[in-house]
Amino acid sequence: MSYVDRIIQQVEEKDGDEPEFLQCVKEVLNSLRPVVESDEKYEKAGILERLVEPEKSVVFRVPWVDDQGRVRVNRGYRIQFSSSIGPYKGGLRFQPNVNSSVIKFLGFEQIFKNSLTGMPIGGGKGGADFDPKGKSEAEIMRFCQSYMTELFRYIGPDTDCPAGDMGVGAREIGYMYGQYKRICGSYKAGALSGKGLSYGGSIGRMEATGYGAVYFTQEYFKTIGRQIKDTVFAVSGFGNVAWGVVKKIDELGGKVVTLSGPDGYIYDPDGVTGEKIDYMLEMRTSNKDCVKDYAKKFHAEFYPGEKPWGKVKADVYMPCATQNEIHEEDAKRILEEGHSRILIEVANMPTTQEAMDLLMEKGVTVLPSKAVNAGGVAVSSLEMVQNAEHLSWKKEEVDERLHDIMKDIFCNIDKAAKKYGCPGNYVAGANLAGFEKVADAMLCQGIC
Ligand code: GLU
């Protein structure tokens, strides 16, 4: 049995009850075959068996009191997956469907994503099965404070630096940082990123994931002679990531015609522009978690319970909502509709393996999320640098660095795909390029 097959089998046996984690381990490991099976040093050093096992993971109780005085308890997580190339780095997700499988898949992805940024950051992820939907401001604050009261002992500027993810934005980071500072008794700004601009946050962090995804798209477009301004995009989601994507596409003259939420999708053939973009932020902070209101306010079409894949005419599909939102039947519909041949993943692992295999087999170009959405964590890392320097950089400086990072990522994954004999397979290219640096660091540092 080959090295890769042996490790996949081992993960199936040990963690077979964690479907999301297993899915992403299989995707990554299968594409690493050309490198790990070409030189026995990887197997000798146990690189893969060490990579699939988090260095440390904590699960903890998060008790809090709701506005009615009732005691509530949620489950908190922090997985510190790999510190081979730097302190653990990765977001916190507050969502009812958070469990150890989801956090482990996100943490595993983060190892390779963070490596691709070229910044010295390891991989980690955390969160809680807390549902922000319908919660009052005071409840959110109490929850964040309680969460940090346990998390604080595991994080720090040189240890682990969490940030936001779904359900965690600037507001939640603010409450968590306040509590962290209070417990520590000192101002360690680099212990959390995504902070507000008045207390150590980086300008441009909020837009970074979305802007980075569009800069990345521009690099790919150069190879096929396309421009953002002549392109129609179908986007899913309506949160922070989708907002940044829509804002940058609009600025560059392109058109976004869909947004989605758990309640369905909206189709706005005139394009999401101007005040409609600002309204996306209002929808996010309202904690209602739906997009129907957009359709009402701006006279757009609303399709309850549906997703836009293959249902609207667009040149490019850009899933920005959540994992596994494009299933095999969506892929079939995309192929039948026949207009779009480009899938740009912005949410983490938005495509199921079956859908991905089908699309790639039929020649659809897939740009993988761990490369496309790396701009968010890249600017988080720039925030850590600014905090260590006790400085704040100007908008132009952050934006220029983000732009350069995204260009380099595209160039590196393209090169890796060519080097290992799969040109144009950006999914494999991203895994291979991300892996090379981490594996090299692991080989240098001995068995640890
Ligand atoms: N949650 C984001 C991601 O998936 C950002 C993490 C960070 O900024 O640390 O990469």
Side-chain angles (χ1 to χ4, degrees):
M1 189 185 279
S2 77
Y3 182 33
V4 166
D5 289 330
R6 182 165 65 78
I7 302 306
I8 289 179
Q9 192 186 62
Q10 190 184 301
V11 177
E12 273 169 344
E13 280 165 16
K14 271 192 173 177
D15 303 314
D17 56 344
E18 297 177 330
E20 291 86 358
F21 177 56
L22 192 58
Q23 179 185 342
C24 94
V25 164
K26 279 186 180 167
E27 186 230 278
V28 173
L29 265 50
N30 275 319
S31 62
L32 298 180
R33 287 179 198 275
V35 50
V36 293
E37 289 176 357
S38 68
D39 189 330
E40 61 177 21
K41 70 180 177 189
Y42 297 103
E43 186 165 4
K44 261 196 178 150
I47 295 290
L48 295 183
E49 42 275 70
R50 285 194 282 145
L51 262 181
V52 297
E53 192 66 35
E55 288 176 17
K56 183 191 271 182
S57 85
V58 284
V59 182
F60 51 93
R61 177 167 73 196
V62 189
W64 57 284
V65 180
D66 70 18
D67 288 346
Q68 283 69 47
R70 205 154 54 99
V71 176
R72 305 271 203 116
V73 175
N74 286 96
R75 189 170 291 171
Y77 299 86
R78 185 71 185 168
I79 306 259
Q80 300 179 327
F81 233 111
S82 166
S83 62
S84 296
I85 62 170
Y88 311 106
K89 181 89 199 81
L92 300 172
R93 176 175 292 193
F94 291 170
Q95 216 183 27
N97 70 358
V98 159
N99 56 38
S100 88
S101 173
V102 168
I103 297 296
K104 274 176 77 178
F105 117 67
L106 291 165
F108 188 68
E109 284 278 295
Q110 204 84 39
I111 304 173
F112 305 94
K113 180 196 308 196
N114 293 3
S115 165
L116 287 173
T117 66
M119 302 295 290
I121 41 177
K125 201 86 190 188
D129 60 355
F130 172 75
D131 189 357
K133 191 173 164 182
K135 301 290 185 300
S136 73
E137 187 80 23
E139 288 174 327
I140 288 185
M141 182 176 77
R142 287 196 293 275
F143 178 80
C144 289
Q145 289 176 335
S146 179
Y147 183 84
M148 184 51 79
T149 302
E150 181 58 32
L151 185 73
F152 92 94
R153 62 188 94 247
Y154 306 105
I155 65 171
D158 298 315
T159 327
D160 183 355
C161 174
D165 196 87
M166 296 175 77
V168 178
R171 171 181 59 185
E172 291 75 14
I173 293 290
Y175 293 146
M176 284 192 271
Y177 186 69
Q179 184 75 350
Y180 178 74
K181 179 168 62 79
R182 202 171 161 206
I183 298 173
C184 288
S186 64
Y187 207 99
K188 297 181 193 166
L192 278 177
S193 66
K195 299 181 294 296
L197 296 184
S198 56
Y199 64 94
S202 173
I203 203 155
R205 172 63 189 91
M206 203 176 150
E207 295 88 346
T209 311
Y211 282 20
V214 179
Y215 295 153
F216 188 90
T217 302
Q218 280 182 306
E219 291 310 299
Y220 166 64
F221 275 9
K222 281 183 195 162
T223 70
I224 55 166
R226 191 179 248 291
Q227 291 199 7
I228 302 282
K229 73 174 171 56
D230 305 316
T231 305
V232 175
F233 295 83
V235 165
S236 66
F238 67 93
N240 175 52
V241 172
W243 169 76
V245 164
V246 174
K247 207 164 153 202
K248 191 45 103 181
I249 289 176
D250 182 53
E251 193 187 303
L252 296 173
K255 196 196 245 191
V256 174
V257 293
T258 63
L259 296 174
S260 76
D263 56 331
Y265 80 91
I266 62 101
Y267 177 57
D268 186 349
D270 296 336
V272 183
T273 58
E275 59 163 333
K276 297 171 182 173
I277 301 177
D278 301 330
Y279 188 68
M280 292 173 73
L281 289 180
E282 269 179 56
M283 290 197 289
R284 144 96 176 90
T285 44
S286 75
N287 284 348
K288 281 163 71 182
D289 205 14
C290 66
V291 288
K292 198 170 79 199
D293 295 352
Y294 178 104
K296 235 186 277 160
K297 193 168 163 68
F298 300 112
H299 311 291
E301 294 165 32
F302 176 62
Y303 296 89
E306 293 189 38
K307 288 180 281 182
W309 319 125
K311 292 186 178 158
V312 298
K313 199 165 174 191
D315 303 306
V316 174
Y317 288 112
M318 262 181 132
C320 299
T322 191
Q323 69 267 13
N324 291 334
E325 54 168 307
I326 300 184
H327 293 261
E328 200 174 354
E329 58 270 23
D330 300 309
K332 282 186 187 149
R333 217 180 312 105
I334 289 173
L335 292 167
E336 270 162 33
E337 200 276 336
H339 191 74
S340 172
R341 307 291 297 162
I342 304 168
L343 173 68
I344 302 182
E345 297 187 326
V346 192
N348 289 310
M349 200 171 76
T351 318
T352 65
Q353 195 59 54
E354 296 73 24
M356 173 89 87
D357 290 345
L358 184 64
L359 291 169
M360 288 177 68
E361 193 191 299
K362 300 286 181 200
V364 170
T365 299
V366 181
L367 302 186
S369 52
K370 63 171 76 64
V372 176
N373 74 24
V377 75
V379 174
S380 270
S381 179
L382 298 179
E383 183 173 329
M384 292 167 79
V385 176
Q386 293 169 73
N387 293 154
E389 288 181 322
H390 300 277
L391 283 174
S392 302
W393 301 342
K394 294 211 161 34
K395 185 173 156 201
E396 294 69 28
E397 175 155 12
V398 176
D399 195 53
E400 199 183 313
R401 285 181 188 246
L402 171 64
H403 216 138
D404 286 346
I405 289 172
M406 299 316 294
K407 274 188 190 168
D408 287 348
I409 296 177
F410 182 77
C411 175
N412 291 337
I413 73 169
D414 187 39
K415 251 197 241 158
K418 287 176 181 148
K419 176 174 161 191
Y420 291 105
C422 46
N425 183 343
Y426 300 111
V427 176
N431 292 333
L432 289 158
F435 173 78
E436 275 184 331
K437 184 177 170 190
V438 175
D440 185 62
M442 290 173 80
L443 289 167
C444 293
Q445 291 171 26
I447 308 303
C448 58

